[in-house]
């Protein structure tokens, strides 16, 4: 069975240690290597489950819960569009050996739509291919570079961004020391990107930049400067077009790309920040599901079918999430936001196991609020408005029969009087 302990006594679905920190090189590599290794719980019938010992039943219940917590990010038509564009951009830029600026990519969307996971999954898939190609064609160390090959770097924009703070964040990914001066920090960042042969730099939470502050403007100028280092810059954030990051930019009608000039060139106190070179970005939105069109409804129901296939509830049935009123109910509860849907299904499945119902119904889910955890390190703009759980429409009560009038004392007129 999949939940049987191995020779070391460790159950395979349990995680040893803390979750990988993708903002560090070691954590990114750990996550990249383990991202598809989770083993879901085996499918058992109620009879097979009842035949297990109490200990094995308890382990299987924990494994089922872990399976529901690790459904993962299922591909949607929206995420497939982002993945296709990102993989093409990373591959094409990595194969461009000429000098000059590399076109970047902006991934925009609301909170809990899977922007980070979609971008990281696409970057990890690119790194798998790029590492394999590198080991085949350039197995020995390359002169003028470091032996440690780091094709992809993932960082999060500091909450209060400054050029020094951003440089420190990037250097922390590589585990590199921090020079004391700003010029030294910028030079160390450029050296790390070049020496480790990094071809993709992902900057998450980019809309933390508030461009009314001069430090934030200088930080954005520094980010654009990094595009001259043969690095594909991927900026990830909430509603980027309205954040001011593309202020002064315009969309090229022939290519659809955003052309973003420097914010300023003379007032910056960062001597290496602003340049006169225009930067080009493809801007792609990751939207929630649309339930107003037949294509959107079909895509949402197919997504529900993928989730349903991964559930391990004993009384589940084919169509539990895709038939009847359930799809419309789930859409009303989550507005098509995949992160909210995932949380509702997770909590509902846990309740179904604990209560013994072993199924999901609108009546059961109506009593489960959607609670979002891990909000301490999130920007307020990343937190979506959670729809209020609507009570299910009450079933129409049967119409009460009107009580008849007492007719005992009515004069019917057709009976003879008593004694006549």
């Amino acid at each position: 069975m999949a939940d049987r302990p191995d020779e070391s006594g460790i159950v395979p679905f349990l995680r040893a240690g803390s979750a990988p920190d993708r903002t560090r090189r070691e954590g990114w590599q750990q996550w990249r290597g383990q991202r598809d290794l989770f083993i879901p719980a085996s499918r058992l019938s109620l009879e097979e489950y009842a035949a297990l010992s109490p200990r094995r039943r308890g382990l299987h219940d924990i494994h089922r819960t872990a399976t529901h917590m690790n459904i993962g990010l299922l591909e949607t038509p929206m995420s497939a569009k982002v993945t296709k564009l990102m993989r093409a951009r990373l591959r094409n830029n990595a194969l461009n050996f000429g000098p000059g600026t590399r076109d970047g990519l902006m991934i925009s969307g609301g909170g809990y739509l899977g922007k980070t996971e979609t971008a990281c999954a696409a970057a990890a898939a690119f790194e798998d291919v790029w590492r394999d190609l590198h080991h085949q064609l350039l197995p020995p160390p390359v002169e003028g570079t470091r032996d440690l090959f780091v094709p992809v770097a993932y960082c999060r924009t500091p909450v209060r961004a400054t050029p020094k703070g951003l440089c420190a964040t990037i250097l922390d990914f590589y585990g590199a020391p921090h020079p004391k001066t700003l010029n030294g920090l910028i030079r160390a960042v450029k050296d790390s990107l070049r020496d480790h042969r990094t071809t993709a730099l992902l900057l998450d939470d980019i809309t933390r930049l508030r461009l009314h502050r001069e430090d934030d403007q200088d930080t954005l100028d520094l980010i654009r400067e990094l595009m001259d280092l043969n690095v594909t810059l991927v900026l990830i954030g909430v509603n980027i077009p309205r954040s001011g990051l593309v202020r002064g930019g315009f969309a090229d009608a022939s290519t659809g790309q955003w052309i973003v000039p420097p914010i300023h060139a003379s007032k910056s106190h960062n001597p290496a920040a602003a340049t006169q070179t225009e930067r080009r970005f493809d801007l792609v939105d990751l939207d929630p599901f649309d339930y107003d069109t037949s294509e959107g409804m079909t895509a949402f129901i197919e997504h529900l079918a993928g989730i349903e296939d991964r559930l391990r509830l004993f009384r589940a049935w084919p169509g539990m999430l895709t038939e009847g009123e359930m799809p419309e109910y789930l859409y009303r509860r989550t507005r098509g936001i995949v992160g909210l849907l995932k949380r509702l299904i997770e909590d509902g499945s846990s309740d179904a196991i604990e209560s013994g119902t072993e199924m999901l119904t609108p009546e059961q889910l109506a009593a489960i609020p959607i609670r979002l955890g891990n909000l301490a390190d999130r920007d307020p703009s990343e937190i979506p408005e959670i729809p209020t759980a609507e009570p299910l429409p009450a079933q129409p009560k049967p119409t009460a029969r009107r009580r008849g009038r007492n007719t005992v004392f009515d004069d019917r007129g057709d009976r003879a009087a008593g004694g006549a």
Side-chain angles (χ1 to χ4, degrees):
M1 291 180 57
D3 49 6
R4 179 176 299 170
D6 59 19
E7 295 179 357
S8 65
I10 300 176
V11 180
F13 64 85
L14 291 182
R15 183 180 64 204
S18 58
D21 181 3
R22 292 186 296 201
T23 63
R24 299 294 188 271
R25 180 190 61 82
E26 299 83 357
W28 172 269
Q29 294 305 325
Q30 181 185 359
W31 170 80
R32 185 180 66 85
Q34 298 178 355
R35 68 188 192 278
D36 297 323
L37 297 183
F38 179 80
I39 302 174
S42 54
R43 298 181 185 273
L44 299 181
S45 65
L46 273 173
E47 292 76 13
E48 293 171 328
Y49 176 76
L52 298 177
S53 66
R55 179 179 180 276
R56 293 294 299 279
R57 286 200 296 270
L59 278 176
H60 188 69
D61 287 342
I62 296 175
H63 197 173
R64 289 196 295 149
T65 301
T67 300
H68 300 153
M69 296 299 110
N70 292 276
I71 290 177
L73 187 67
L74 305 182
E75 186 176 76
T76 66
M78 299 77 72
S79 66
K81 178 181 66 175
V82 174
T83 299
K84 181 180 179 180
L85 178 59
M86 183 171 171
R87 288 186 179 179
R89 178 55 45 82
L90 294 180
R91 181 190 64 244
N92 294 346
N93 284 352
L95 294 173
N96 182 355
F97 303 118
T101 301
R102 300 290 183 263
D103 289 352
L105 182 64
M106 291 182 178
I107 301 177
S108 179
Y112 283 81
L113 285 173
K115 300 182 300 297
T116 296
E117 295 307 316
T118 299
C120 286
F126 162 78
E127 182 172 345
D128 292 342
V129 175
W130 197 244
R131 280 185 175 274
D132 183 61
L133 184 63
H134 176 269
H135 291 319
Q136 291 184 39
L137 301 181
L138 298 171
V142 178
E143 183 179 357
T145 64
R146 303 180 188 182
D147 292 343
L148 194 59
F149 182 47
V150 186
V152 174
Y154 171 80
C155 305
R156 298 184 65 187
T157 306
V159 175
R160 186 173 179 84
T162 64
K164 284 187 175 181
L166 178 63
C167 288
T169 298
I170 297 175
L171 292 174
D172 284 341
F173 179 86
Y174 296 99
H178 299 180
K180 294 182 179 180
T181 65
L182 178 57
N183 284 340
L185 285 166
I186 295 173
R187 185 166 53 251
V189 167
K190 292 182 177 182
D191 289 344
S192 292
L193 291 170
R194 181 183 61 251
D195 293 346
H196 292 292
R197 287 158 286 171
T198 301
T199 59
L201 175 60
L202 278 62
L203 291 180
D204 205 350
D205 299 322
I206 195 63
T207 45
R208 285 177 173 175
L209 294 178
R210 310 301 184 189
L211 297 184
H212 63 278
R213 298 175 57 245
E214 189 173 10
D215 278 344
D216 291 48
Q217 295 178 18
D218 292 344
T219 302
L220 183 57
D221 282 341
L222 173 60
I223 291 172
R224 294 170 182 170
E225 177 75 5
L226 298 178
M227 297 174 70
D228 288 332
L229 301 177
N230 296 335
V231 173
T232 301
L233 204 59
V234 181
L235 309 181
I236 308 166
V238 175
N239 204 350
I240 289 179
R242 295 185 180 180
S243 68
L245 292 178
V246 292
R247 184 175 62 188
F250 60 93
D252 188 334
S254 61
T255 64
Q257 289 181 313
W258 278 85
I259 300 177
V260 185
I263 293 179
H264 51 71
S266 58
K267 296 182 180 180
S268 174
H269 64 262
N270 183 349
T275 69
Q276 297 297 331
T277 306
E278 291 178 334
R279 308 309 192 195
R280 286 173 170 80
F281 289 90
D282 277 304
L283 177 63
V284 58
D285 287 308
L286 190 59
D287 300 316
F289 280 99
D290 174 21
Y291 209 68
D292 295 331
T293 64
S294 58
E295 295 81 3
M297 293 173 61
T298 300
F300 185 64
I301 292 175
E302 289 178 351
H303 185 72
L304 294 179
I307 295 176
E308 181 183 303
D309 184 62
R310 287 161 172 77
L311 298 182
R312 297 295 188 267
L313 298 176
F314 292 131
R315 293 188 175 90
W317 66 92
M320 181 178 66
L321 300 184
T322 60
E323 296 178 355
E325 63 179 337
M326 183 64 99
E328 185 173 350
Y329 173 77
L330 291 174
Y331 188 85
R332 290 201 311 269
R333 285 292 307 272
T334 64
R335 293 187 182 143
I337 300 174
V338 292
L340 300 185
L341 176 64
K342 180 176 182 292
R343 182 57 58 89
L344 180 61
I345 296 298
E346 288 174 353
D347 292 346
S349 298
S350 295
D351 178 78
I353 292 176
E354 293 177 3
S355 65
T357 59
E358 294 291 341
M359 67 178 71
L360 297 179
T361 63
E363 292 76 15
Q364 178 222 12
L365 294 176
I368 298 177
I370 299 177
R371 296 188 178 94
L372 302 179
N374 302 323
L375 299 180
D377 61 342
R378 285 185 175 268
D379 190 271
S381 62
E382 272 280 351
I383 304 173
E385 180 182 354
I386 302 176
T388 305
E390 301 177 1
L392 293 174
Q395 297 295 327
K397 296 181 179 180
T399 305
R401 295 182 59 185
R402 186 174 180 179
R403 186 175 180 180
R405 186 172 57 84
N406 191 332
T407 60
V408 173
F409 299 101
D410 286 358
D411 183 6
R412 304 185 180 276
D414 57 349
R415 293 185 305 175

